[in-house]
Amino acid sequence: MSKRQLQVAMREWTRNMRLPLTWLFVIGVAVILALIGPFGTDQVMILPVALAYWLLITAGSYAIGLFVNVVVSQYLSGSGSLPRFGLAAALTGIGVSVLVVTLNWAFFSHFPEAAQWPEIFGSVFLISLVITGLLAAVDAHLAADAPASGRVPLMDRLPLDKRGTLLALSVEDHYVRVHTDKGEDLLLMRLSDAIRETGETPGAQVHRSYWAAWDAVASVRRDGARAVLTLASGVEIPVSRSNLHKIREAGLLPR
């Protein structure tokens, strides 16, 4: 994993960990678990100690799961969702297993024997699948959720002389090139995050590395099983075969 990928992942992780909603969720779950006392913790811990134990478990598991997901998302940005999901769940399971064993040793002076590790990892892996699925669902929901106003939040990231009508987005290495009618600029961020900030601009991701605004398209031509959009600025945007239906639905390609 490159230094730039790690920088993007760390920025995404830090941003999410600083959200008040994140800590409201983490603390809420910890309080519920401390009161319920699963796995017999209510029999061996007083409430304040149980709350500390479950807060560490909940916060640590969320932090590990989130970090693994953003790192895997950067490292396997060009792969399908299934490999990313599987790798993220496995790595999260390993990290959370180590966390649980460490906390159990600290709170209960218990360290599992070698034969118990597969069972521990199996149980935690199932929980990690749920954590990974929830994180993926939240990310997909946020990416599809455009702000109510006509403002394009992405423009706030650009120099003043480059802010204008959004034309397209393209991936270059670990950067996103933002094309506007005033010029272009590179931003260190994920394409999914950039798309999230396009506001109500009509358009769609037409390739794993490209997003195009419909109003910016000057012409369309077929290229075998794919297509190519030519913007009014002269920039050409490839359309993958799996995304042809999007430009058909936008009325840019005959049905």
Side-chain angles (χ1 to χ4, degrees):
M1 185 176 186
S2 71
K3 183 178 179 180
R4 289 176 180 173
Q5 284 177 306
L6 185 59
Q7 287 175 338
V8 174
M10 284 301 300
R11 186 181 65 181
E12 180 75 8
W13 182 84
T14 302
R15 187 186 71 174
N16 279 275
M17 290 301 295
R18 287 178 176 175
L19 291 174
L21 186 60
T22 294
W23 287 101
L24 181 63
F25 169 78
V26 167
I27 294 172
V29 171
V31 169
I32 292 173
L33 291 173
L35 293 174
I36 294 176
F39 307 112
T41 53
D42 58 332
Q43 303 297 319
V44 294
M45 291 180 174
I46 60 174
L47 186 58
V49 176
L51 181 58
Y53 173 81
W54 285 113
L55 183 58
L56 290 171
I57 289 285
T58 306
S61 298
Y62 183 83
I64 291 170
L66 178 62
F67 181 75
V68 167
N69 274 267
V70 295
V71 168
V72 170
S73 179
Q74 286 295 316
Y75 186 70
L76 297 180
S77 59
S79 303
S81 57
L82 190 58
R84 293 200 304 268
F85 183 86
L87 180 60
L91 293 177
T92 299
I94 294 172
V96 175
S97 294
V98 173
L99 172 68
V100 170
V101 169
T102 301
L103 289 177
N104 284 347
W105 174 78
F107 278 82
F108 308 118
S109 299
H110 170 73
F111 194 84
E113 297 178 357
Q116 295 177 302
W117 276 91
E119 181 181 353
I120 293 172
F121 175 75
S123 301
V124 174
F125 178 71
L126 294 177
I127 298 174
S128 299
L129 285 174
V130 176
I131 294 173
T132 303
L134 287 173
L135 289 170
V138 169
D139 187 66
H141 173 74
L142 291 175
D145 186 22
S149 69
R151 190 175 68 88
V152 179
L154 190 62
M155 290 300 111
D156 295 339
R157 298 179 180 269
L158 302 180
L160 288 174
D161 63 330
K162 299 295 178 63
R163 297 179 186 180
T165 302
L166 181 61
L167 306 179
L169 305 171
S170 58
V171 175
E172 295 185 20
D173 197 0
H174 307 301
Y175 289 80
V176 171
R177 181 174 293 277
V178 181
H179 304 260
T180 74
D181 61 347
K182 299 290 184 63
E184 304 173 358
D185 196 52
L186 286 173
L187 298 176
L188 181 60
M189 64 190 308
R190 296 188 303 175
L191 180 61
S192 61
D193 291 332
I195 293 174
R196 186 184 306 164
E197 297 187 10
T198 58
E200 293 184 332
T201 306
Q205 184 173 356
V206 294
H207 185 278
R208 69 180 182 182
S209 300
Y210 294 89
W211 177 95
W214 299 146
D215 293 342
V217 178
S219 64
V220 182
R221 73 174 188 273
R222 291 299 296 265
D223 182 18
R226 302 179 299 173
V228 177
L229 306 177
T230 301
L231 307 185
S233 62
V235 174
E236 293 191 339
I237 303 293
V239 181
S240 62
R241 181 177 181 179
S242 61
N243 286 298
L244 285 176
H245 69 281
K246 294 180 181 178
I247 62 174
R248 286 197 184 97
E249 292 170 359
L252 299 175
L253 192 68
R255 293 183 179 274

